[in-house]
Amino acid sequence: MSAEHRRGVLFALACYGTWGLFPAFWKLVASVPPAEVLAHRVVWSLLAVSVMLNWTRRWDEVFVLLASRRRLLVLAASTLCISVNWLVFIRVVGEGNVLEASMGYFLNPLVNVALGVLVLKERLRPLQWAAVALALAGVVQLAVATGTPPWAALTLAGTFGVYGLLRKRLPVTPLTGLAVETGLLFPLAVAYLAWRMAEGSPVLGGTPALAAALVAGGPVTALPLLWFAAAASRLRYTTLGFFQYMAPTGHFLLAVLAYGESPGLAHLITFGCIWAAIGLYLADNWRQREG
């Protein structure tokens, strides 16, 4: 293994490991309304990204994006997707439903496959079709068993899947894209926070601990993206794909071991179907590479 490959692995572990611990971080601000947490995340993320762009001297990439109306429209759509994704994740974690967040991100790779078929007209091999069908069967049985689909998990998987598709159509570096997205949201976030303060909401959560956590949301959001970019530049994309399951696995372990969430039989069957589907998909990819 070359030195560059080792560095790529370390960056990937840092990135996906941090994402896997996200529920523990956002639980620190569970007492703050989710929309307010989202607004703070936007404000402080933009500040953190601006510092990083200064450090890496990449503001020219942002100006190129801002000069194109078509690119701005695509980024406006991706901004909508990521803001809904962030809001739902913050809400379900704050409500103590980390298992559903985990389910959403385990489903995400399979949603990406479905979007590839529906939007990009990609063709699936038989094992890939079986993987998608198995995951869908797991979600359907959960909906039947509980009387309602896992809306939060489906929203997380769907919004992040569409977000990834939009970014695929408009290749930009993660940091540059986040700068534009948070920049588009910034006026709305500031206006919302100003309105909340006018209504009597405490500034920055009202305590030093909450204030520190809300401000830290900026670098906590931006740094993993910097590590992701560093990993992606050093590793094959297929190699990087194996690391993506670290994040939902971290969510699942936190939910069960740290927060005492107990998945019922219906949830275990759904997770089993999703894990088996992922296994089928990875096995098919491995077989194709070996062939």
mmCIF file of all heavy atoms in Angstrom, residues 174-207:
data_model
loop_
_atom_site.group_PDB
_atom_site.id
_atom_site.type_symbol
_atom_site.label_atom_id
_atom_site.label_comp_id
_atom_site.label_asym_id
_atom_site.label_seq_id
_atom_site.Cartn_x
_atom_site.Cartn_y
_atom_site.Cartn_z
ATOM 1 N N PRO A 174 -16.747 19.168 -2.888
ATOM 2 C CA PRO A 174 -17.693 19.254 -1.763
ATOM 3 C C PRO A 174 -17.648 20.605 -1.050
ATOM 4 O O PRO A 174 -18.687 21.156 -0.700
ATOM 5 C CB PRO A 174 -17.230 18.119 -0.843
ATOM 6 C CG PRO A 174 -16.566 17.140 -1.750
ATOM 7 C CD PRO A 174 -15.896 17.963 -2.799
ATOM 8 N N LEU A 175 -16.451 21.127 -0.837
ATOM 9 C CA LEU A 175 -16.316 22.381 -0.091
ATOM 10 C C LEU A 175 -16.890 23.559 -0.872
ATOM 11 O O LEU A 175 -17.612 24.401 -0.317
ATOM 12 C CB LEU A 175 -14.838 22.619 0.216
ATOM 13 C CG LEU A 175 -14.523 23.482 1.441
ATOM 14 C CD1 LEU A 175 -15.077 22.865 2.697
ATOM 15 C CD2 LEU A 175 -13.013 23.667 1.568
ATOM 16 N N THR A 176 -16.595 23.607 -2.174
ATOM 17 C CA THR A 176 -17.105 24.697 -2.998
ATOM 18 C C THR A 176 -18.623 24.642 -3.091
ATOM 19 O O THR A 176 -19.309 25.666 -2.985
ATOM 20 C CB THR A 176 -16.491 24.621 -4.412
ATOM 21 O OG1 THR A 176 -15.075 24.585 -4.307
ATOM 22 C CG2 THR A 176 -16.909 25.813 -5.240
ATOM 23 N N GLY A 177 -19.148 23.435 -3.300
ATOM 24 C CA GLY A 177 -20.601 23.289 -3.378
ATOM 25 C C GLY A 177 -21.277 23.700 -2.089
ATOM 26 O O GLY A 177 -22.307 24.388 -2.105
ATOM 27 N N LEU A 178 -20.702 23.303 -0.946
ATOM 28 C CA LEU A 178 -21.295 23.664 0.345
ATOM 29 C C LEU A 178 -21.252 25.171 0.562
ATOM 30 O O LEU A 178 -22.170 25.750 1.152
ATOM 31 C CB LEU A 178 -20.563 22.945 1.481
ATOM 32 C CG LEU A 178 -21.138 23.167 2.879
ATOM 33 C CD1 LEU A 178 -22.553 22.620 2.988
ATOM 34 C CD2 LEU A 178 -20.249 22.531 3.947
ATOM 35 N N ALA A 179 -20.202 25.824 0.070
ATOM 36 C CA ALA A 179 -20.107 27.286 0.203
ATOM 37 C C ALA A 179 -21.275 27.967 -0.495
ATOM 38 O O ALA A 179 -21.916 28.878 0.061
ATOM 39 C CB ALA A 179 -18.783 27.779 -0.374
ATOM 40 N N VAL A 180 -21.587 27.526 -1.710
ATOM 41 C CA VAL A 180 -22.702 28.126 -2.450
ATOM 42 C C VAL A 180 -24.030 27.775 -1.791
ATOM 43 O O VAL A 180 -24.916 28.631 -1.640
ATOM 44 C CB VAL A 180 -22.681 27.674 -3.920
ATOM 45 C CG1 VAL A 180 -23.904 28.221 -4.668
ATOM 46 C CG2 VAL A 180 -21.395 28.137 -4.602
ATOM 47 N N GLU A 181 -24.188 26.513 -1.385
ATOM 48 C CA GLU A 181 -25.454 26.083 -0.780
ATOM 49 C C GLU A 181 -25.746 26.824 0.519
ATOM 50 O O GLU A 181 -26.866 27.325 0.726
ATOM 51 C CB GLU A 181 -25.425 24.573 -0.546
ATOM 52 C CG GLU A 181 -25.511 23.774 -1.842
ATOM 53 C CD GLU A 181 -25.016 22.347 -1.705
ATOM 54 O OE1 GLU A 181 -24.422 22.000 -0.655
ATOM 55 O OE2 GLU A 181 -25.214 21.569 -2.658
ATOM 56 N N THR A 182 -24.757 26.914 1.398
ATOM 57 C CA THR A 182 -24.980 27.644 2.651
ATOM 58 C C THR A 182 -25.113 29.143 2.396
ATOM 59 O O THR A 182 -25.840 29.840 3.113
ATOM 60 C CB THR A 182 -23.843 27.377 3.655
ATOM 61 O OG1 THR A 182 -22.581 27.621 3.025
ATOM 62 C CG2 THR A 182 -23.895 25.953 4.169
ATOM 63 N N GLY A 183 -24.441 29.631 1.345
ATOM 64 C CA GLY A 183 -24.596 31.041 0.978
ATOM 65 C C GLY A 183 -26.014 31.350 0.528
ATOM 66 O O GLY A 183 -26.568 32.404 0.864
ATOM 67 N N LEU A 184 -26.626 30.425 -0.218
ATOM 68 C CA LEU A 184 -28.009 30.612 -0.662
ATOM 69 C C LEU A 184 -28.979 30.584 0.523
ATOM 70 O O LEU A 184 -29.982 31.302 0.536
ATOM 71 C CB LEU A 184 -28.390 29.527 -1.677
ATOM 72 C CG LEU A 184 -27.697 29.600 -3.044
ATOM 73 C CD1 LEU A 184 -28.034 28.364 -3.876
ATOM 74 C CD2 LEU A 184 -28.116 30.865 -3.789
ATOM 75 N N LEU A 185 -28.674 29.743 1.506
ATOM 76 C CA LEU A 185 -29.548 29.620 2.677
ATOM 77 C C LEU A 185 -29.309 30.705 3.723
ATOM 78 O O LEU A 185 -30.170 30.951 4.579
ATOM 79 C CB LEU A 185 -29.340 28.250 3.340
ATOM 80 C CG LEU A 185 -29.925 27.029 2.628
ATOM 81 C CD1 LEU A 185 -29.416 25.755 3.287
ATOM 82 C CD2 LEU A 185 -31.454 27.067 2.666
ATOM 83 N N PHE A 186 -28.143 31.337 3.670
ATOM 84 C CA PHE A 186 -27.734 32.266 4.726
ATOM 85 C C PHE A 186 -28.759 33.369 5.009
ATOM 86 O O PHE A 186 -29.110 33.600 6.180
ATOM 87 C CB PHE A 186 -26.376 32.881 4.374
ATOM 88 C CG PHE A 186 -25.821 33.798 5.415
ATOM 89 C CD1 PHE A 186 -25.215 33.309 6.556
ATOM 90 C CD2 PHE A 186 -25.911 35.177 5.258
ATOM 91 C CE1 PHE A 186 -24.701 34.158 7.526
ATOM 92 C CE2 PHE A 186 -25.403 36.038 6.216
ATOM 93 C CZ PHE A 186 -24.794 35.526 7.363
ATOM 94 N N PRO A 187 -29.288 34.090 3.995
ATOM 95 C CA PRO A 187 -30.261 35.159 4.308
ATOM 96 C C PRO A 187 -31.504 34.623 5.026
ATOM 97 O O PRO A 187 -32.004 35.265 5.959
ATOM 98 C CB PRO A 187 -30.621 35.723 2.927
ATOM 99 C CG PRO A 187 -29.475 35.354 2.048
ATOM 100 C CD PRO A 187 -28.989 34.032 2.553
ATOM 101 N N LEU A 188 -31.986 33.454 4.600
ATOM 102 C CA LEU A 188 -33.156 32.864 5.257
ATOM 103 C C LEU A 188 -32.832 32.463 6.696
ATOM 104 O O LEU A 188 -33.653 32.673 7.605
ATOM 105 C CB LEU A 188 -33.624 31.632 4.478
ATOM 106 C CG LEU A 188 -34.213 31.875 3.090
ATOM 107 C CD1 LEU A 188 -34.494 30.546 2.388
ATOM 108 C CD2 LEU A 188 -35.496 32.696 3.190
ATOM 109 N N ALA A 189 -31.640 31.904 6.894
ATOM 110 C CA ALA A 189 -31.242 31.482 8.242
ATOM 111 C C ALA A 189 -31.133 32.672 9.184
ATOM 112 O O ALA A 189 -31.623 32.638 10.326
ATOM 113 C CB ALA A 189 -29.915 30.730 8.175
ATOM 114 N N VAL A 190 -30.497 33.746 8.721
ATOM 115 C CA VAL A 190 -30.343 34.945 9.556
ATOM 116 C C VAL A 190 -31.698 35.564 9.851
ATOM 117 O O VAL A 190 -31.975 35.977 10.994
ATOM 118 C CB VAL A 190 -29.405 35.959 8.861
ATOM 119 C CG1 VAL A 190 -29.424 37.291 9.598
ATOM 120 C CG2 VAL A 190 -27.986 35.410 8.794
ATOM 121 N N ALA A 191 -32.569 35.632 8.841
ATOM 122 C CA ALA A 191 -33.899 36.203 9.048
ATOM 123 C C ALA A 191 -34.691 35.380 10.064
ATOM 124 O O ALA A 191 -35.381 35.936 10.935
ATOM 125 C CB ALA A 191 -34.648 36.272 7.717
ATOM 126 N N TYR A 192 -34.587 34.057 9.966
ATOM 127 C CA TYR A 192 -35.310 33.202 10.897
ATOM 128 C C TYR A 192 -34.788 33.370 12.319
ATOM 129 O O TYR A 192 -35.579 33.474 13.282
ATOM 130 C CB TYR A 192 -35.187 31.737 10.476
ATOM 131 C CG TYR A 192 -35.871 30.779 11.426
ATOM 132 C CD1 TYR A 192 -37.254 30.643 11.423
ATOM 133 C CD2 TYR A 192 -35.130 30.040 12.342
ATOM 134 C CE1 TYR A 192 -37.881 29.782 12.310
ATOM 135 C CE2 TYR A 192 -35.746 29.173 13.226
ATOM 136 C CZ TYR A 192 -37.121 29.042 13.202
ATOM 137 O OH TYR A 192 -37.742 28.196 14.095
ATOM 138 N N LEU A 193 -33.462 33.417 12.480
ATOM 139 C CA LEU A 193 -32.889 33.591 13.819
ATOM 140 C C LEU A 193 -33.261 34.948 14.401
ATOM 141 O O LEU A 193 -33.533 35.060 15.613
ATOM 142 C CB LEU A 193 -31.367 33.431 13.760
ATOM 143 C CG LEU A 193 -30.851 32.013 13.476
ATOM 144 C CD1 LEU A 193 -29.341 32.018 13.295
ATOM 145 C CD2 LEU A 193 -31.253 31.061 14.612
ATOM 146 N N ALA A 194 -33.290 35.975 13.561
ATOM 147 C CA ALA A 194 -33.691 37.309 14.027
ATOM 148 C C ALA A 194 -35.140 37.290 14.492
ATOM 149 O O ALA A 194 -35.487 37.892 15.529
ATOM 150 C CB ALA A 194 -33.503 38.332 12.906
ATOM 151 N N TRP A 195 -35.999 36.613 13.735
ATOM 152 C CA TRP A 195 -37.416 36.510 14.121
ATOM 153 C C TRP A 195 -37.563 35.751 15.435
ATOM 154 O O TRP A 195 -38.353 36.149 16.306
ATOM 155 C CB TRP A 195 -38.197 35.805 13.008
ATOM 156 C CG TRP A 195 -39.614 35.509 13.374
ATOM 157 C CD1 TRP A 195 -40.658 36.386 13.440
ATOM 158 C CD2 TRP A 195 -40.149 34.229 13.758
ATOM 159 N NE1 TRP A 195 -41.804 35.744 13.844
ATOM 160 C CE2 TRP A 195 -41.523 34.416 14.034
ATOM 161 C CE3 TRP A 195 -39.609 32.953 13.872
ATOM 162 C CZ2 TRP A 195 -42.360 33.369 14.422
ATOM 163 C CZ3 TRP A 195 -40.447 31.911 14.261
ATOM 164 C CH2 TRP A 195 -41.791 32.117 14.532
ATOM 165 N N ARG A 196 -36.801 34.650 15.600
ATOM 166 C CA ARG A 196 -36.870 33.875 16.827
ATOM 167 C C ARG A 196 -36.433 34.710 18.031
ATOM 168 O O ARG A 196 -37.052 34.648 19.098
ATOM 169 C CB ARG A 196 -35.974 32.633 16.702
ATOM 170 C CG ARG A 196 -36.511 31.566 15.793
ATOM 171 C CD ARG A 196 -37.680 30.831 16.388
ATOM 172 N NE ARG A 196 -37.285 30.099 17.595
ATOM 173 C CZ ARG A 196 -38.135 29.596 18.480
ATOM 174 N NH1 ARG A 196 -39.441 29.768 18.311
ATOM 175 N NH2 ARG A 196 -37.710 28.948 19.538
ATOM 176 N N MET A 197 -35.385 35.513 17.857
ATOM 177 C CA MET A 197 -34.938 36.364 18.961
ATOM 178 C C MET A 197 -35.964 37.435 19.284
ATOM 179 O O MET A 197 -36.185 37.770 20.452
ATOM 180 C CB MET A 197 -33.577 36.981 18.620
ATOM 181 C CG MET A 197 -32.418 35.998 18.752
ATOM 182 S SD MET A 197 -30.799 36.795 18.578
ATOM 183 C CE MET A 197 -30.753 37.068 16.808
ATOM 184 N N ALA A 198 -36.614 37.974 18.245
ATOM 185 C CA ALA A 198 -37.668 38.971 18.460
ATOM 186 C C ALA A 198 -38.844 38.362 19.215
ATOM 187 O O ALA A 198 -39.537 39.060 19.972
ATOM 188 C CB ALA A 198 -38.132 39.540 17.122
ATOM 189 N N GLU A 199 -39.058 37.054 19.035
ATOM 190 C CA GLU A 199 -40.142 36.349 19.732
ATOM 191 C C GLU A 199 -39.745 35.948 21.156
ATOM 192 O O GLU A 199 -40.565 35.398 21.895
ATOM 193 C CB GLU A 199 -40.532 35.096 18.938
ATOM 194 C CG GLU A 199 -41.211 35.383 17.613
ATOM 195 C CD GLU A 199 -42.624 35.887 17.793
ATOM 196 O OE1 GLU A 199 -43.434 35.184 18.437
ATOM 197 O OE2 GLU A 199 -42.919 36.996 17.311
ATOM 198 N N GLY A 200 -38.496 36.195 21.515
ATOM 199 C CA GLY A 200 -38.049 35.891 22.872
ATOM 200 C C GLY A 200 -37.219 34.639 23.014
ATOM 201 O O GLY A 200 -36.902 34.219 24.135
ATOM 202 N N SER A 201 -36.824 34.033 21.900
ATOM 203 C CA SER A 201 -35.979 32.845 21.981
ATOM 204 C C SER A 201 -34.583 33.237 22.462
ATOM 205 O O SER A 201 -34.047 34.274 22.052
ATOM 206 C CB SER A 201 -35.873 32.190 20.600
ATOM 207 O OG SER A 201 -35.005 31.076 20.624
ATOM 208 N N PRO A 202 -33.970 32.438 23.334
ATOM 209 C CA PRO A 202 -32.629 32.777 23.834
ATOM 210 C C PRO A 202 -31.610 32.837 22.702
ATOM 211 O O PRO A 202 -31.687 32.074 21.740
ATOM 212 C CB PRO A 202 -32.303 31.623 24.791
ATOM 213 C CG PRO A 202 -33.594 30.955 25.087
ATOM 214 C CD PRO A 202 -34.460 31.168 23.901
ATOM 215 N N VAL A 203 -30.661 33.738 22.821
ATOM 216 C CA VAL A 203 -29.585 33.846 21.841
ATOM 217 C C VAL A 203 -28.644 32.651 22.012
ATOM 218 O O VAL A 203 -28.225 32.330 23.129
ATOM 219 C CB VAL A 203 -28.808 35.171 22.035
ATOM 220 C CG1 VAL A 203 -27.666 35.265 21.022
ATOM 221 C CG2 VAL A 203 -29.748 36.353 21.899
ATOM 222 N N LEU A 204 -28.370 31.961 20.912
ATOM 223 C CA LEU A 204 -27.446 30.821 20.931
ATOM 224 C C LEU A 204 -27.815 29.793 22.000
ATOM 225 O O LEU A 204 -26.958 29.254 22.715
ATOM 226 C CB LEU A 204 -26.008 31.296 21.131
ATOM 227 C CG LEU A 204 -25.336 31.929 19.911
ATOM 228 C CD1 LEU A 204 -24.020 32.580 20.297
ATOM 229 C CD2 LEU A 204 -25.088 30.879 18.828
ATOM 230 N N GLY A 205 -29.097 29.526 22.113
ATOM 231 C CA GLY A 205 -29.552 28.476 23.008
ATOM 232 C C GLY A 205 -29.707 28.870 24.454
ATOM 233 O O GLY A 205 -30.349 28.170 25.233
ATOM 234 N N GLY A 206 -29.099 29.971 24.859
ATOM 235 C CA GLY A 206 -29.301 30.471 26.208
ATOM 236 C C GLY A 206 -28.295 30.014 27.239
ATOM 237 O O GLY A 206 -28.290 30.508 28.370
ATOM 238 N N THR A 207 -27.421 29.069 26.912
ATOM 239 C CA THR A 207 -26.390 28.622 27.854
ATOM 240 C C THR A 207 -25.052 28.539 27.121
ATOM 241 O O THR A 207 -25.009 28.335 25.902
ATOM 242 C CB THR A 207 -26.707 27.238 28.453
ATOM 243 O OG1 THR A 207 -26.568 26.238 27.417
ATOM 244 C CG2 THR A 207 -28.117 27.175 29.023
#
